[in-house]
Amino acid sequence: PYSWALILLTFVAGLVPIVGNLICNGVLTLVGLSVSPWVALACLAFLVAIVGTPWLLGLGWRTAFMLSASLAVVGFLAVPRPRSATRVPKPIAHWRALLHRETLVIALLAWGTGVGQAVLVYFPTLAIVRLGVTTESTSVLMLPLVIAGLAATGAVALWLDRFGARAMVVVGAVTALAGIAVAALAPASRLGFVVGAAALGLGISALCGGPLRYATARAVPKAEQGLAQSALALLGKLGIL
């Protein structure tokens, strides 16, 4: 409710550092209470997360990670479990149906794509270490990576059906690996780093989403599609971790 008023409040309050954020999220919590206690609780949790995250990061990323993991475990244990669960005598799909060469290659690529997404986070640090630039300068060096990623997303949408998922996956994987090698192993230079970052952004964006899912859909029987796509998403997240 009050969507336009809340949008206007968010815009105006966002101009005021810290205090505006507290006011905006406080109002959202009150409005959420008019919908249901659970919505209000979710808004309150969001407010606590927004305010508490910078404080946690100030304690160090290891402390923040351990506290976040602990809260996740508590939340998982707090979820009510059904007293009785219905067991399916014969599953619709079995994981062994996914264990053949093509799906294993796709699984490895999905995990590798997750690793590549995690590598993106450390590229500004790589620029500082290899090039000796300041933290502020890294934002400019990351622009080619972002632009190349956007270009790859559009190219995948246009060319996936034309060239097929296999070609897009091969090009994406080779480009991403080449980008990491150029940025991390080639003689240190701004040009080399920018080229490597752009190649990594191009390759990772080409691999994410469409091509791997499309390849999975063609490699797995219809009955196992749900299991295969879920496994693909899980492997990508494990790669990020």
Side-chain angles (χ1 to χ4, degrees), residues 4-24:
W4 286 106
L6 290 175
I7 291 173
L8 180 61
L9 173 67
T10 303
F11 174 76
V12 175
L15 300 176
V16 183
I18 303 177
V19 177
N21 193 12
L22 291 173
I23 294 174
C24 179

Side-chain angles (χ1 to χ4, degrees), residues 48-126:
V48 173
I50 290 296
V51 175
T53 298
W55 176 76
L56 285 175
L57 293 177
L59 298 177
W61 70 269
R62 292 181 177 85
T63 304
F65 178 80
M66 292 302 296
L67 183 57
S68 300
S70 301
L71 291 174
V73 171
V74 171
F76 176 77
L77 296 176
V79 174
R81 301 292 190 276
R83 294 185 178 181
S84 61
T86 303
R87 292 184 176 273
V88 180
K90 184 178 181 181
I92 298 175
H94 199 281
W95 60 270
R96 288 193 180 89
L98 307 180
L99 296 182
H100 52 86
R101 190 181 68 175
E102 189 169 1
T103 53
L104 290 176
V105 171
I106 294 172
L108 180 62
L109 286 170
W111 179 81
T113 301
V115 174
Q117 289 176 283
V119 168
L120 293 175
V121 178
Y122 294 98
F123 251 58
T125 304
L126 181 64

Side-chain angles (χ1 to χ4, degrees), residues 148-169:
L150 293 173
T153 302
V156 167
L158 290 174
W159 295 338
L160 181 58
D161 289 330
R162 181 178 179 181
F163 295 105
R166 178 174 295 181
M168 302 297 289
V169 167

Side-chain angles (χ1 to χ4, degrees), residues 106 108-110 112-114 116-117 152-153 156 165-177 200-214 232:
I106 294 172
L108 180 62
L109 286 170
T113 301
Q117 289 176 283
T153 302
V156 167
R166 178 174 295 181
M168 302 297 289
V169 167
V170 170
V171 170
V174 171
T175 305
L177 290 174
L200 177 61
L202 189 70
I204 291 298
S205 297
L207 286 171
C208 289
L212 285 176
R213 294 189 180 281
Y214 192 82
L232 189 70

